[in-house]
Amino acid sequence: MINIILAEDHNIVRNGIKLLLESDEQIRVLGEGVNGVEVMKLLSSGEVDMIVADINMPEMDGMQLLKEVKAKYPKIKVVMLSMHDHEKYVMEAFKNGGDGYLLKNIGADELIFAVKFVNQGRRYLCAELTMSLMDTMLQSKQYLMAIPENEIDFSLRELEILQLIAEGLTNLEMSEKLFLSKRTIEGHRQSLLDKTGSKNSAALIRYGVINGLIQ
């Protein structure tokens, strides 16, 4: 069971996120707060695995909450949930120890996947931002390098899923497109991450581009 504290100052938004999270039997929302101050008061129980927090909140915003949590409870994962898609917010979040960054327009399947992915000790950046940053990377001269010889043995299905990840498809969309279960898609995604040594989707796509695996 993944125990989560949810931080969001808009009641309707917070209730909606809670419903999405608890639609999965492996996730439980232990508590809720409208700002970072309230969240910090909820962390003394020792049962919290993760905080999902909005960036814009009164009194103590998400970024300040992130810093406070990582300083006092370094083992607790923190996932930022925001409307801000600017690179500076993403970089600031990860620089301060954030474990994930999601836009509020993501689907339920990606939200749940991100929570489980981060709970495994990995970092996660939502698909939309991954593609945006990838476009920036591909336009940068430092990434226009020779393609090294690739010695990793990928299955045709893994290469197909890698291509779809690069196209920005969610697990659910890939599941429907390939007529496979979401669990199977997640398994192939995890296999790709393990084989390439990538920590997140952005690194995985970068590997695919550099090695000529993505068209």
Side-chain angles (χ1 to χ4, degrees), residues 5-141:
I5 296 293
L6 182 57
E8 164 64 58
D9 61 321
H10 292 91
N11 290 337
I12 294 178
V13 176
R14 187 174 66 252
N15 291 335
I17 296 170
K18 180 180 179 181
L19 285 173
L20 292 178
L21 288 171
E22 292 193 331
S23 67
D24 190 286
E25 60 184 13
Q26 297 179 18
I27 299 174
R28 177 174 58 183
V29 176
L30 284 183
E32 304 168 48
V34 299
N35 56 48
V37 175
E38 291 189 3
V39 172
M40 292 303 296
K41 293 178 181 178
L42 296 172
L43 298 182
S44 59
S45 68
E47 298 179 354
V48 181
D49 300 306
M50 187 181 304
I51 297 169
V52 176
D54 186 15
I55 288 183
N56 293 327
M57 296 184 294
E59 294 189 58
M60 182 190 292
D61 65 20
M63 287 297 183
Q64 186 59 42
L65 172 62
L66 169 61
K67 296 175 184 177
E68 293 281 341
V69 171
K70 290 302 179 179
K72 297 180 181 180
Y73 305 96
K75 291 185 179 180
I76 294 179
K77 307 292 191 300
V78 181
V79 175
M80 309 306 296
L81 188 62
S82 176
M83 292 297 294
H84 297 297
D85 60 358
H86 196 283
E87 183 179 334
K88 73 174 184 178
Y89 290 100
V90 179
M91 295 300 104
E92 183 179 356
F94 285 119
K95 180 181 178 181
N96 288 315
D99 300 283
Y101 195 104
L102 310 173
L103 293 179
K104 286 187 176 180
N105 62 357
I106 64 171
D109 61 312
E110 185 173 9
L111 173 62
I112 291 172
F113 176 83
V115 166
K116 293 181 177 180
F117 190 81
V118 168
N119 191 58
Q120 295 174 0
R122 299 171 180 268
R123 289 185 171 185
Y124 185 86
L125 180 64
C126 68
E128 182 177 334
L129 286 173
T130 296
M131 293 309 300
S132 177
L133 291 175
M134 179 56 60
D135 288 340
T136 300
M137 291 167 60
L138 292 175
Q139 293 171 12
S140 174
K141 291 183 178 179

